[in-house]
Amino acid sequence: MQENDINKSQEEEMEIDLLELAMTLWKKRKKLAVWSACGAVLGLVVAFSIPKENATSVKLAPEVADSKGGGGSLGVNGRLFYELIIWSRCCVSTALSGCR
């Protein structure tokens, strides 16, 4: 009998009454508004007072002219990339035709 009473009292203690919580917050709304405004002002002061530390640098390399023409700025690597695409298309088409 006593165990049931203890279990019931523990369940009642663990339960949160949302209406009571809302009423408490409503009663203290002025204090909450003041502290929220203070926090927002403090956050803005800190955000705008920290110096910006962004730094970028760019190094440009001159384009080397290719005697073969083609490939644009990719040069020899562009030609190899093009050949790899053609080779992979051939392999895929061969594999698909063999499956039929």
Side-chain angles (χ1 to χ4, degrees):
M1 184 73 163
Q2 289 178 345
E3 289 179 20
N4 286 339
D5 293 336
I6 292 172
N7 288 338
K8 286 182 182 178
S9 65
Q10 286 178 350
E11 287 178 14
E12 289 175 2
E13 288 177 12
M14 291 175 46
E15 188 175 315
I16 297 173
D17 187 12
L18 295 178
L19 186 59
E20 183 182 343
L21 179 63
M23 292 295 289
T24 304
L25 290 174
W26 185 252
K27 288 177 185 175
K28 298 182 179 186
R29 68 184 178 271
K30 290 181 183 177
K31 186 183 281 189
L32 286 172
V34 168
W35 282 108
S36 297
C38 289
V41 169
L42 182 65
L44 288 171
V45 167
V46 168
F48 287 116
S49 66
I50 295 175
K52 294 181 182 177
E53 297 181 16
N54 298 340
T56 60
S57 64
V58 177
K59 294 181 181 179
L60 296 176
E63 185 174 340
V64 178
D66 189 12
S67 62
K68 295 181 182 177
S73 63
L74 294 175
V76 175
N77 291 334
R79 179 79 177 167
L80 293 174
F81 183 69
Y82 177 74
E83 290 175 1
L84 179 64
I85 290 173
I86 298 299
W87 178 78
S88 64
R89 283 186 181 174
C90 292
C91 290
V92 169
S93 64
T94 303
L96 290 177
S97 65
C99 293
R100 292 180 186 177

